[in-house]
Amino acid sequence: MAARDLGGRPVLESVYSVIALVFVLVACAELCDAATVVDVYRLIQYDIAGAPFGSRLAGLNHHASSLHFPPGADLSRTVLVIPVRDLNLGYVKDYLSQRQPLGGLLFLLPQIFSFESKESSGNGEELLKNIVMELEQLLIHTNIPYPVYFAFENDDINTVLADIKRNDESGQPATATTGGYKLVVSTTEPKKVASPVISNLQGWLPGLKADGDPNQLPTIAIVASYDTFGAAPALSMGSDSNGSGVVALLEIARLFSLLYSNPKTRGRYNLLFGLTSGGPYNYNGTHKWLRSFDQRLRETIDYAICLNSIGSWDNELWIHVSKPPENAYIKQTFEGLSNVGDELGIKVGLKHKKINISNSRVAWEHEQFSRHRITAATLSELSTAPGLFENTGSLADSRNFVNEAAVIKSVKLVAESLARHIYGHQGKNIQIFADEGSLAVNPSYIRSWLDLLSQTPRVAPFLSKNDPFVMALKKELEEHTEEVILQNEVLDGMFTFYDSTKATLNIYQVASVTFDLLLLLVLGSYLIVLFSFLIITTRGLDDLISLFRRPPSRKVKTA
Amino acid sequence: MTVFHFFNCAILTFGPHAVYYSATPLSEYDTLGTSVKAALVYLGTALVKLVCLATFLKVSENESFDPYQELLKALIGFIDVAGLYFALTQLTHRNISQNHKFQAVGLGWAFADSVLHRLAPLWVGARGLEFTWDYILQGLEANANLVFSISLAALGSLMWLRKNKPKTLVPIIYACAGIVATMPSITSYLRRGLGWHFPKVVGFELFTSLAMAFISWQLFSACQRPSA
């Protein structure tokens, strides 16, 4: 006994440590064993002046159902899985406007909207694009009190959906007692993004100042806004709006930096390149950027050209102005552009939209310039002014719908007309940026930047202060221009955004509670049968019966 | 319902052992000590097997059936038999009849096997939300394994503990013991070489376990008669 005690304590301690280790292992053994795991992107959640919009919840833990659910079923604890291909927009509209309770919504997007797909756009895809755009506009402007997610179709999720449809059609919607599929997104509740930052970039190409000339050189500004806004901020790549504008601006900067690098070909105009943020929010960034100009700079700007969505047009572009077309600068700019357009086979139209000072809505970037009393015009393929959060580079705006040739032609148009104005060759038939020359527009430069932009979501509140993409743009501008300045501003307080834009969805195939109860019943009866069988074979039937009957002989004895 | 499922699979995997102990006269003669000792011997055997496998076997990338590797695994499997021999003959048991000794040893052996091989996957896997049939099939496999262990223990006790056996039955006893001992190799050949799915393999195991149990019962009662 004593020997056991002496050896007992270290043994006991090692036993305790083993037990502790076992407990730790047991606690961490939470494996993810889902049937399918999918990346999902949440609908944007934001407030305008306190009014809530978008999906207000992020966590999801409900059963899945398709659109073929039996009528009258209670869907308040179900997630509707809707592929966009079979979408009935009117139905969704009714559902949202009647504010019917729902556990969640999951939209499945065709692969053509993702960057990896290389399908070319045909007629069917244009229809899909319009449907997606309408859906986005509907979702963005509604207050939805449950989670809404987007996912791309792939084989796994298609089989799951087919299974769900089959279950629904056989009249058995998935609830806790009948089994089916469970969709789980475990993420923290969304929090406000504190002080969203918008970063404006500017680059300066100084012109050739003649010796002894005290006057400041005039400046021409070329501006494009680079940020986007869409229904799913993690998917708002905005290849056309305004990726095409950014790419065109970078290419024009590159071409003019080549021209200006040689003092013999440096023009008598300064060139100011601006990449602004805050575009969808009434061009808030442009406003703050212009406000930061000092008076002298503002007075030297002759005019500004803003580029907005120039990537998917066929043969017609529009110049939008807010000053009346009779204005001398406007006339000059328009004639220059339309002359070059005629040579290139592009029809350039002019549209005039007056600014309403009392209305805070700013539909075009040039309107901000006009409010700061700088002549400006916007070159765009859109013929009418977009409304709030329209054409801001959303889900439907993917790489497959952008035409590189269109961007290249736009670059040629703007660069030629600028160069003719700068070097005073208006009206002459000279091709400065001819193909096969050393100043030709570089298609692979345009393609690679367009591809990069189509893979980078650029919703301004979710870009951090030193976001790598903004730094990349800054570096690129530094290559072509001098004096690159990065200006960080806080977004106008009217807009509040909430985070949690991307999550992983686990799809589990669950068995119903009735199945478990049934299994318990079967196992219980199996064990009872086994027990009886073993007692009968080894001890005899009498022993089995004697288990249930108290022996009566004892009572007789005591009596 | 996930912990529920774990509970269900646990009683399927470990329930029969408890039922066997309590239903048969093993509980009356309090043979728990024997079962515990047999379980410990299984633990030791498993460790030795592990070391041998790690030393002599090479890891194959694909799931194909490599005869040489399987032969090696079968040879190492005979360490099991050696362990059972040790448990049956070398350990000191209280005075229990041979009849009960092999049952207790077989029970302890099977229980240790189930705990070692099936408890951890059950705990980690059956508690998740996702439902698969795997754990129920694993429980059925544990049942078959219990029957196999008891049959092997019966044949082992016939081979090593009983001195006067009818001559004609001896080769049959050794043949059956050989079949039961190489059962793991046979199932792995079925799964990998012939590509059977898990439910089919489990069905085969259940069937053969019942067949072997019947045969060994007949052999045991046949050998019982001369000494009775």
Side-chain angles (χ1 to χ4, degrees):
Chain A
M1 269 309 201
R4 260 191 74 187
D5 274 351
L6 281 176
R9 201 165 293 144
V11 173
L12 212 60
E13 282 171 359
S14 56
V15 166
Y16 280 150
S17 53
V18 166
I19 291 177
L21 182 64
V22 165
F23 270 126
V24 166
L25 281 175
V26 154
C28 332
E30 285 290 339
L31 283 187
C32 164
D33 53 344
T36 318
V37 178
V38 184
D39 280 329
V40 290
Y41 310 95
R42 195 169 79 100
L43 181 66
I44 193 164
Q45 180 182 358
Y46 66 102
D47 303 336
I48 301 185
F53 292 101
S55 154
R56 309 307 291 181
L57 287 179
L60 192 65
N61 190 346
H62 289 306
H63 280 85
S65 167
S66 70
L67 281 174
H68 302 269
F69 58 85
D74 175 28
L75 292 174
S76 57
R77 297 187 69 76
T78 341
V79 177
L80 274 182
V81 181
I82 303 180
V84 166
R85 274 184 221 272
D86 317 329
L87 183 62
N88 182 351
L89 207 57
Y91 175 79
V92 176
K93 219 180 278 188
D94 288 336
Y95 219 81
L96 287 176
S97 59
Q98 288 163 18
R99 306 184 74 83
Q100 291 189 9
L102 192 62
L105 270 175
L106 176 66
F107 288 105
L108 295 179
L109 299 166
Q111 276 290 338
I112 193 167
F113 293 108
S114 89
F115 180 73
E116 283 86 34
S117 137
K118 294 293 172 211
E119 299 165 31
S120 59
S121 62
N123 211 356
E125 276 75 22
E126 288 296 320
L127 214 65
L128 265 179
K129 185 179 175 191
N130 290 335
I131 292 178
V132 173
M133 276 168 61
E134 274 194 63
L135 176 69
E136 276 186 289
Q137 287 303 311
L138 174 65
L139 290 173
I140 291 175
H141 294 287
T142 325
N143 178 9
I144 306 176
Y146 42 80
V148 178
Y149 280 99
F150 294 93
F152 286 110
E153 283 177 358
N154 61 17
D155 292 329
D156 293 333
I157 212 171
N158 281 340
T159 44
V160 168
L161 184 62
D163 227 353
I164 297 175
K165 275 195 198 153
R166 222 173 328 127
N167 284 344
D168 280 348
E169 274 156 10
S170 67
Q172 275 189 329
T175 54
T177 49
T178 54
Y181 286 93
K182 200 158 202 213
L183 303 183
V184 177
V185 173
S186 39
T187 159
T188 53
E189 279 315 300
K191 294 184 292 293
K192 275 191 202 182
V193 173
S195 316
V197 168
I198 45 178
S199 314
N200 297 320
L201 282 164
Q202 72 178 52
W204 182 259
L205 262 183
L208 186 64
K209 207 160 177 224
D211 296 333
D213 184 357
N215 299 328
Q216 283 280 6
L217 284 177
T219 310
I220 300 179
I222 301 157
V223 189
S225 85
Y226 68 84
D227 71 328
T228 58
F229 180 90
L235 289 178
S236 299
M237 317 297 186
S239 309
D240 197 10
S241 310
N242 192 12
S244 53
V246 172
V247 166
L249 186 144
L250 288 175
E251 178 66 2
I252 295 171
R254 185 186 73 88
L255 291 170
F256 275 96
S257 81
L258 282 175
L259 271 176
Y260 273 43
S261 56
N262 185 351
K264 290 199 197 138
T265 50
R266 198 177 293 170
R268 297 263 159 100
Y269 281 82
N270 298 322
L271 286 174
L272 175 63
F273 295 96
L275 283 168
T276 58
S277 178
Y281 322 110
N282 297 326
Y283 291 101
N284 195 251
T286 318
H287 164 69
K288 296 207 158 93
W289 182 51
L290 292 173
R291 213 174 44 179
S292 71
F293 282 0
D294 63 1
Q295 188 65 9
R296 269 196 309 167
L297 173 58
R298 200 180 303 188
E299 281 171 4
T300 62
I301 298 185
D302 264 6
Y303 65 94
I305 296 187
C306 309
L307 302 169
N308 183 356
S309 309
I310 44 177
S312 55
W313 53 275
D314 279 330
N315 50 10
E316 190 166 14
L317 278 178
W318 299 94
I319 300 194
H320 299 267
V321 290
S322 52
K323 295 224 168 118
E326 295 77 36
N327 179 300
Y329 277 123
I330 302 285
K331 234 174 162 184
Q332 193 179 63
T333 318
F334 176 62
E335 275 173 11
L337 277 168
S338 62
N339 284 341
V340 179
D342 288 336
E343 285 169 31
L344 290 174
I346 306 171
K347 180 173 173 308
V348 182
L350 184 66
K351 280 228 155 149
H352 173 225
K353 176 178 172 282
K354 283 208 191 125
I355 302 179
N356 186 353
I357 301 280
S358 54
N359 186 0
S360 61
R361 168 77 191 132
V362 177
W364 295 110
E365 196 158 15
H366 69 264
E367 293 183 15
Q368 286 287 12
F369 280 87
S370 302
R371 284 169 196 236
H372 289 263
R373 285 185 290 279
I374 302 174
T375 314
T378 305
L379 180 69
S380 174
E381 71 201 2
L382 304 166
S383 55
T384 49
L388 182 63
F389 299 140
E390 269 176 32
N391 284 110
T392 48
S394 47
L395 270 179
D397 197 346
S398 77
R399 177 70 178 91
N400 296 308
F401 297 105
V402 172
N403 191 351
E404 275 162 35
V407 179
I408 293 175
K409 275 202 281 189
S410 322
V411 169
K412 274 198 208 156
L413 176 68
V414 178
E416 268 310 327
S417 56
L418 264 184
R420 288 190 196 180
H421 177 83
I422 290 173
Y423 298 107
H425 294 304
Q426 275 112 325
K428 296 186 200 167
N429 192 357
I430 298 180
Q431 282 231 357
I432 300 177
F433 300 102
D435 298 334
E436 294 106 38
S438 60
L439 286 174
V441 176
N442 186 349
S444 45
Y445 184 82
I446 289 185
R447 188 179 315 129
S448 60
W449 270 100
L450 208 52
D451 286 347
L452 174 63
L453 283 162
S454 308
Q455 287 175 291
T456 321
R458 308 186 294 280
V459 181
F462 302 109
L463 289 177
S464 58
K465 199 160 181 198
N466 289 325
D467 189 79
F469 180 71
V470 177
M471 291 298 127
L473 280 179
K474 179 168 185 242
K475 193 153 174 282
E476 191 64 17
L477 268 184
E478 280 167 358
E479 294 246 327
H480 305 312
T481 60
E482 305 171 22
E483 288 181 49
V484 174
I485 301 176
L486 174 67
Q487 177 200 26
N488 286 321
E489 298 274 353
V490 174
L491 183 60
D492 185 16
M494 196 168 78
F495 295 93
T496 330
F497 291 90
Y498 295 79
D499 63 4
S500 174
T501 53
K502 197 169 168 194
T504 25
L505 173 73
N506 296 312
I507 306 182
Y508 297 104
Q509 187 164 21
V510 290
S512 51
V513 171
T514 46
F515 172 80
D516 279 327
L517 286 172
L518 215 66
L519 189 63
L520 183 64
L521 214 65
V522 167
L523 288 177
S525 43
Y526 163 69
L527 285 178
I528 290 174
V529 165
L530 187 67
F531 187 77
S532 326
F533 173 74
L534 286 172
I535 284 194
I536 291 176
T537 49
T538 53
R539 293 195 245 182
L541 190 59
D542 299 329
D543 269 338
L544 179 64
I545 298 173
S546 71
L547 273 180
F548 298 106
R549 201 180 294 162
R550 291 233 177 89
S553 49
R554 285 216 189 115
K555 278 190 182 158
V556 173
K557 271 190 189 162
T558 51
Chain B
M1 78 194 64
T2 55
V3 181
F4 199 169
H5 188 65
F6 166 74
F7 177 71
N8 277 344
C9 296
I11 61 176
L12 177 60
T13 316
F14 303 113
H17 300 88
V19 164
Y20 193 89
Y21 184 79
S22 55
T24 56
L26 288 180
S27 56
E28 276 177 22
Y29 293 103
D30 195 18
T31 50
L32 194 62
T34 314
S35 298
V36 170
K37 283 186 207 163
L40 291 174
V41 171
Y42 180 84
L43 215 69
T45 321
L47 278 170
V48 171
K49 266 172 61 176
L50 218 69
V51 170
C52 289
L53 281 172
T55 316
F56 295 116
L57 232 55
K58 64 173 192 285
V59 178
S60 67
E61 274 93 43
N62 49 358
E63 280 274 317
S64 66
F65 182 77
D66 184 0
Y68 181 63
Q69 297 295 319
E70 295 297 328
L71 197 63
L72 219 55
K73 277 194 210 167
L75 283 176
I76 292 177
F78 278 110
I79 295 178
D80 257 339
V81 181
L84 209 52
Y85 171 79
F86 180 78
L88 276 173
T89 56
Q90 302 298 342
L91 292 180
T92 54
H93 303 290
R94 284 172 33 208
N95 277 334
I96 34 181
S97 72
Q98 253 192 21
N99 204 351
H100 298 142
K101 194 195 287 192
F102 83 81
Q103 285 184 36
V105 168
L107 186 65
W109 194 264
F111 186 71
D113 182 85
S114 287
V115 166
L116 238 56
H117 287 277
R118 295 187 186 92
L119 182 61
L122 206 59
W123 176 257
V124 167
R127 280 184 316 138
L129 271 178
E130 178 77 13
F131 174 75
T132 49
W133 288 99
D134 283 346
Y135 300 106
I136 298 176
L137 290 171
Q138 212 180 49
L140 292 174
E141 200 180 11
N143 280 326
N145 198 39
L146 172 65
V147 181
F148 273 135
S149 302
I150 294 184
S151 320
L152 191 59
L155 294 168
S157 83
L158 277 183
M159 286 194 294
W160 302 310
L161 293 179
R162 193 174 289 273
K163 301 305 167 199
N164 43 350
K165 301 185 278 271
K167 292 292 178 191
T168 48
L169 292 178
V170 168
I172 304 180
I173 292 175
Y174 278 100
C176 289
I179 293 176
V180 178
T182 53
M183 217 48 213
S185 303
I186 296 176
T187 45
S188 109
Y189 170 67
L190 288 175
R191 196 173 312 171
R192 303 220 191 132
L194 293 182
W196 282 18
H197 292 305
F198 198 32
K200 222 167 160 185
V201 173
V202 171
F204 172 77
E205 278 182 4
L206 282 172
F207 177 71
T208 40
S209 68
L210 289 173
M212 294 312 299
F214 182 73
I215 294 175
S216 31
W217 180 34
Q218 292 300 317
L219 285 171
F220 201 83
S221 42
C223 293
Q224 198 114 337
R225 269 180 245 122
S227 61

PDB file of all heavy atoms in Angstrom, chain B residues 33-54:
ATOM      1  N   GLY B  33     -12.953  -8.032 -14.225  1.00  0.00           N
ATOM      2  CA  GLY B  33     -11.501  -7.906 -14.177  1.00  0.00           C
ATOM      3  C   GLY B  33     -10.834  -8.530 -15.388  1.00  0.00           C
ATOM      4  O   GLY B  33      -9.880  -7.960 -15.952  1.00  0.00           O
ATOM      5  N   THR B  34     -11.348  -9.675 -15.794  1.00  0.00           N
ATOM      6  CA  THR B  34     -10.777 -10.336 -16.971  1.00  0.00           C
ATOM      7  C   THR B  34     -10.920  -9.475 -18.210  1.00  0.00           C
ATOM      8  O   THR B  34      -9.987  -9.335 -19.010  1.00  0.00           O
ATOM      9  CB  THR B  34     -11.494 -11.684 -17.206  1.00  0.00           C
ATOM     10  OG1 THR B  34     -11.612 -12.378 -15.983  1.00  0.00           O
ATOM     11  CG2 THR B  34     -10.743 -12.509 -18.218  1.00  0.00           C
ATOM     12  N   SER B  35     -12.099  -8.898 -18.363  1.00  0.00           N
ATOM     13  CA  SER B  35     -12.327  -8.063 -19.551  1.00  0.00           C
ATOM     14  C   SER B  35     -11.405  -6.866 -19.561  1.00  0.00           C
ATOM     15  O   SER B  35     -10.840  -6.507 -20.601  1.00  0.00           O
ATOM     16  CB  SER B  35     -13.780  -7.592 -19.572  1.00  0.00           C
ATOM     17  OG  SER B  35     -14.648  -8.679 -19.655  1.00  0.00           O
ATOM     18  N   VAL B  36     -11.226  -6.267 -18.375  1.00  0.00           N
ATOM     19  CA  VAL B  36     -10.347  -5.088 -18.314  1.00  0.00           C
ATOM     20  C   VAL B  36      -8.921  -5.470 -18.668  1.00  0.00           C
ATOM     21  O   VAL B  36      -8.239  -4.784 -19.429  1.00  0.00           O
ATOM     22  CB  VAL B  36     -10.435  -4.442 -16.911  1.00  0.00           C
ATOM     23  CG1 VAL B  36      -9.364  -3.401 -16.753  1.00  0.00           C
ATOM     24  CG2 VAL B  36     -11.804  -3.845 -16.695  1.00  0.00           C
ATOM     25  N   LYS B  37      -8.486  -6.631 -18.135  1.00  0.00           N
ATOM     26  CA  LYS B  37      -7.118  -7.065 -18.456  1.00  0.00           C
ATOM     27  C   LYS B  37      -6.980  -7.337 -19.946  1.00  0.00           C
ATOM     28  O   LYS B  37      -5.965  -6.979 -20.557  1.00  0.00           O
ATOM     29  CB  LYS B  37      -6.785  -8.333 -17.669  1.00  0.00           C
ATOM     30  CG  LYS B  37      -6.450  -8.088 -16.219  1.00  0.00           C
ATOM     31  CD  LYS B  37      -5.998  -9.364 -15.541  1.00  0.00           C
ATOM     32  CE  LYS B  37      -6.308  -9.291 -14.058  1.00  0.00           C
ATOM     33  NZ  LYS B  37      -6.276 -10.592 -13.409  1.00  0.00           N
ATOM     34  N   ALA B  38      -8.002  -7.928 -20.536  1.00  0.00           N
ATOM     35  CA  ALA B  38      -7.955  -8.202 -21.980  1.00  0.00           C
ATOM     36  C   ALA B  38      -7.891  -6.893 -22.770  1.00  0.00           C
ATOM     37  O   ALA B  38      -7.172  -6.792 -23.770  1.00  0.00           O
ATOM     38  CB  ALA B  38      -9.182  -9.007 -22.399  1.00  0.00           C
ATOM     39  N   ALA B  39      -8.638  -5.883 -22.295  1.00  0.00           N
ATOM     40  CA  ALA B  39      -8.610  -4.584 -22.979  1.00  0.00           C
ATOM     41  C   ALA B  39      -7.212  -3.984 -22.933  1.00  0.00           C
ATOM     42  O   ALA B  39      -6.726  -3.432 -23.927  1.00  0.00           O
ATOM     43  CB  ALA B  39      -9.630  -3.640 -22.350  1.00  0.00           C
ATOM     44  N   LEU B  40      -6.557  -4.114 -21.773  1.00  0.00           N
ATOM     45  CA  LEU B  40      -5.210  -3.557 -21.655  1.00  0.00           C
ATOM     46  C   LEU B  40      -4.238  -4.288 -22.573  1.00  0.00           C
ATOM     47  O   LEU B  40      -3.359  -3.677 -23.194  1.00  0.00           O
ATOM     48  CB  LEU B  40      -4.745  -3.630 -20.211  1.00  0.00           C
ATOM     49  CG  LEU B  40      -5.492  -2.683 -19.267  1.00  0.00           C
ATOM     50  CD1 LEU B  40      -5.074  -2.925 -17.829  1.00  0.00           C
ATOM     51  CD2 LEU B  40      -5.221  -1.241 -19.642  1.00  0.00           C
ATOM     52  N   VAL B  41      -4.409  -5.616 -22.652  1.00  0.00           N
ATOM     53  CA  VAL B  41      -3.538  -6.380 -23.557  1.00  0.00           C
ATOM     54  C   VAL B  41      -3.767  -5.923 -24.998  1.00  0.00           C
ATOM     55  O   VAL B  41      -2.828  -5.800 -25.787  1.00  0.00           O
ATOM     56  CB  VAL B  41      -3.811  -7.896 -23.415  1.00  0.00           C
ATOM     57  CG1 VAL B  41      -3.079  -8.658 -24.499  1.00  0.00           C
ATOM     58  CG2 VAL B  41      -3.383  -8.377 -22.054  1.00  0.00           C
ATOM     59  N   TYR B  42      -5.046  -5.629 -25.341  1.00  0.00           N
ATOM     60  CA  TYR B  42      -5.317  -5.140 -26.707  1.00  0.00           C
ATOM     61  C   TYR B  42      -4.593  -3.831 -26.953  1.00  0.00           C
ATOM     62  O   TYR B  42      -4.055  -3.594 -28.035  1.00  0.00           O
ATOM     63  CB  TYR B  42      -6.825  -4.962 -26.913  1.00  0.00           C
ATOM     64  CG  TYR B  42      -7.138  -4.463 -28.299  1.00  0.00           C
ATOM     65  CD1 TYR B  42      -7.233  -5.339 -29.364  1.00  0.00           C
ATOM     66  CD2 TYR B  42      -7.286  -3.100 -28.546  1.00  0.00           C
ATOM     67  CE1 TYR B  42      -7.490  -4.885 -30.634  1.00  0.00           C
ATOM     68  CE2 TYR B  42      -7.538  -2.646 -29.815  1.00  0.00           C
ATOM     69  CZ  TYR B  42      -7.646  -3.542 -30.858  1.00  0.00           C
ATOM     70  OH  TYR B  42      -7.888  -3.096 -32.126  1.00  0.00           O
ATOM     71  N   LEU B  43      -4.599  -2.970 -25.931  1.00  0.00           N
ATOM     72  CA  LEU B  43      -3.906  -1.677 -26.062  1.00  0.00           C
ATOM     73  C   LEU B  43      -2.441  -1.886 -26.394  1.00  0.00           C
ATOM     74  O   LEU B  43      -1.884  -1.284 -27.318  1.00  0.00           O
ATOM     75  CB  LEU B  43      -4.044  -0.929 -24.736  1.00  0.00           C
ATOM     76  CG  LEU B  43      -4.189   0.578 -24.815  1.00  0.00           C
ATOM     77  CD1 LEU B  43      -5.531   0.909 -25.409  1.00  0.00           C
ATOM     78  CD2 LEU B  43      -4.082   1.181 -23.437  1.00  0.00           C
ATOM     79  N   GLY B  44      -1.829  -2.817 -25.601  1.00  0.00           N
ATOM     80  CA  GLY B  44      -0.418  -3.084 -25.850  1.00  0.00           C
ATOM     81  C   GLY B  44      -0.187  -3.635 -27.250  1.00  0.00           C
ATOM     82  O   GLY B  44       0.741  -3.228 -27.958  1.00  0.00           O
ATOM     83  N   THR B  45      -1.050  -4.568 -27.636  1.00  0.00           N
ATOM     84  CA  THR B  45      -0.918  -5.147 -28.975  1.00  0.00           C
ATOM     85  C   THR B  45      -1.043  -4.085 -30.051  1.00  0.00           C
ATOM     86  O   THR B  45      -0.308  -4.088 -31.037  1.00  0.00           O
ATOM     87  CB  THR B  45      -2.024  -6.208 -29.193  1.00  0.00           C
ATOM     88  OG1 THR B  45      -2.223  -6.946 -28.018  1.00  0.00           O
ATOM     89  CG2 THR B  45      -1.672  -7.100 -30.340  1.00  0.00           C
ATOM     90  N   ALA B  46      -1.995  -3.178 -29.858  1.00  0.00           N
ATOM     91  CA  ALA B  46      -2.202  -2.116 -30.853  1.00  0.00           C
ATOM     92  C   ALA B  46      -0.958  -1.252 -30.983  1.00  0.00           C
ATOM     93  O   ALA B  46      -0.575  -0.866 -32.092  1.00  0.00           O
ATOM     94  CB  ALA B  46      -3.412  -1.268 -30.469  1.00  0.00           C
ATOM     95  N   LEU B  47      -0.321  -0.953 -29.869  1.00  0.00           N
ATOM     96  CA  LEU B  47       0.894  -0.135 -29.923  1.00  0.00           C
ATOM     97  C   LEU B  47       1.994  -0.848 -30.692  1.00  0.00           C
ATOM     98  O   LEU B  47       2.676  -0.265 -31.534  1.00  0.00           O
ATOM     99  CB  LEU B  47       1.372   0.178 -28.502  1.00  0.00           C
ATOM    100  CG  LEU B  47       0.647   1.341 -27.831  1.00  0.00           C
ATOM    101  CD1 LEU B  47       1.002   1.415 -26.365  1.00  0.00           C
ATOM    102  CD2 LEU B  47       1.018   2.638 -28.511  1.00  0.00           C
ATOM    103  N   VAL B  48       2.155  -2.159 -30.380  1.00  0.00           N
ATOM    104  CA  VAL B  48       3.203  -2.919 -31.078  1.00  0.00           C
ATOM    105  C   VAL B  48       2.914  -2.957 -32.574  1.00  0.00           C
ATOM    106  O   VAL B  48       3.795  -2.751 -33.409  1.00  0.00           O
ATOM    107  CB  VAL B  48       3.290  -4.350 -30.491  1.00  0.00           C
ATOM    108  CG1 VAL B  48       4.202  -5.210 -31.322  1.00  0.00           C
ATOM    109  CG2 VAL B  48       3.772  -4.302 -29.060  1.00  0.00           C
ATOM    110  N   LYS B  49       1.656  -3.170 -32.912  1.00  0.00           N
ATOM    111  CA  LYS B  49       1.282  -3.212 -34.336  1.00  0.00           C
ATOM    112  C   LYS B  49       1.572  -1.890 -35.010  1.00  0.00           C
ATOM    113  O   LYS B  49       2.049  -1.835 -36.150  1.00  0.00           O
ATOM    114  CB  LYS B  49      -0.210  -3.528 -34.469  1.00  0.00           C
ATOM    115  CG  LYS B  49      -0.497  -4.990 -34.662  1.00  0.00           C
ATOM    116  CD  LYS B  49      -1.960  -5.313 -34.604  1.00  0.00           C
ATOM    117  CE  LYS B  49      -2.770  -4.633 -35.667  1.00  0.00           C
ATOM    118  NZ  LYS B  49      -4.174  -5.062 -35.626  1.00  0.00           N
ATOM    119  N   LEU B  50       1.274  -0.807 -34.302  1.00  0.00           N
ATOM    120  CA  LEU B  50       1.504   0.533 -34.852  1.00  0.00           C
ATOM    121  C   LEU B  50       2.966   0.741 -35.199  1.00  0.00           C
ATOM    122  O   LEU B  50       3.332   1.221 -36.273  1.00  0.00           O
ATOM    123  CB  LEU B  50       1.060   1.568 -33.819  1.00  0.00           C
ATOM    124  CG  LEU B  50       0.378   2.803 -34.350  1.00  0.00           C
ATOM    125  CD1 LEU B  50      -0.969   2.435 -34.892  1.00  0.00           C
ATOM    126  CD2 LEU B  50       0.241   3.830 -33.260  1.00  0.00           C
ATOM    127  N   VAL B  51       3.808   0.326 -34.220  1.00  0.00           N
ATOM    128  CA  VAL B  51       5.239   0.510 -34.443  1.00  0.00           C
ATOM    129  C   VAL B  51       5.696  -0.318 -35.641  1.00  0.00           C
ATOM    130  O   VAL B  51       6.437   0.172 -36.500  1.00  0.00           O
ATOM    131  CB  VAL B  51       6.016   0.134 -33.164  1.00  0.00           C
ATOM    132  CG1 VAL B  51       7.487   0.074 -33.447  1.00  0.00           C
ATOM    133  CG2 VAL B  51       5.733   1.135 -32.069  1.00  0.00           C
ATOM    134  N   CYS B  52       5.218  -1.549 -35.723  1.00  0.00           N
ATOM    135  CA  CYS B  52       5.632  -2.403 -36.854  1.00  0.00           C
ATOM    136  C   CYS B  52       5.152  -1.833 -38.181  1.00  0.00           C
ATOM    137  O   CYS B  52       5.892  -1.788 -39.168  1.00  0.00           O
ATOM    138  CB  CYS B  52       5.059  -3.810 -36.669  1.00  0.00           C
ATOM    139  SG  CYS B  52       5.842  -4.712 -35.351  1.00  0.00           S
ATOM    140  N   LEU B  53       3.903  -1.370 -38.191  1.00  0.00           N
ATOM    141  CA  LEU B  53       3.362  -0.816 -39.436  1.00  0.00           C
ATOM    142  C   LEU B  53       4.166   0.404 -39.865  1.00  0.00           C
ATOM    143  O   LEU B  53       4.484   0.577 -41.036  1.00  0.00           O
ATOM    144  CB  LEU B  53       1.895  -0.419 -39.243  1.00  0.00           C
ATOM    145  CG  LEU B  53       0.857  -1.544 -39.279  1.00  0.00           C
ATOM    146  CD1 LEU B  53      -0.497  -1.009 -38.879  1.00  0.00           C
ATOM    147  CD2 LEU B  53       0.791  -2.158 -40.652  1.00  0.00           C
ATOM    148  N   ALA B  54       4.478   1.248 -38.895  1.00  0.00           N
ATOM    149  CA  ALA B  54       5.210   2.468 -39.234  1.00  0.00           C
ATOM    150  C   ALA B  54       6.593   2.136 -39.758  1.00  0.00           C
ATOM    151  O   ALA B  54       7.117   2.832 -40.625  1.00  0.00           O
ATOM    152  CB  ALA B  54       5.298   3.368 -38.016  1.00  0.00           C
TER     153      ALA B  54
END
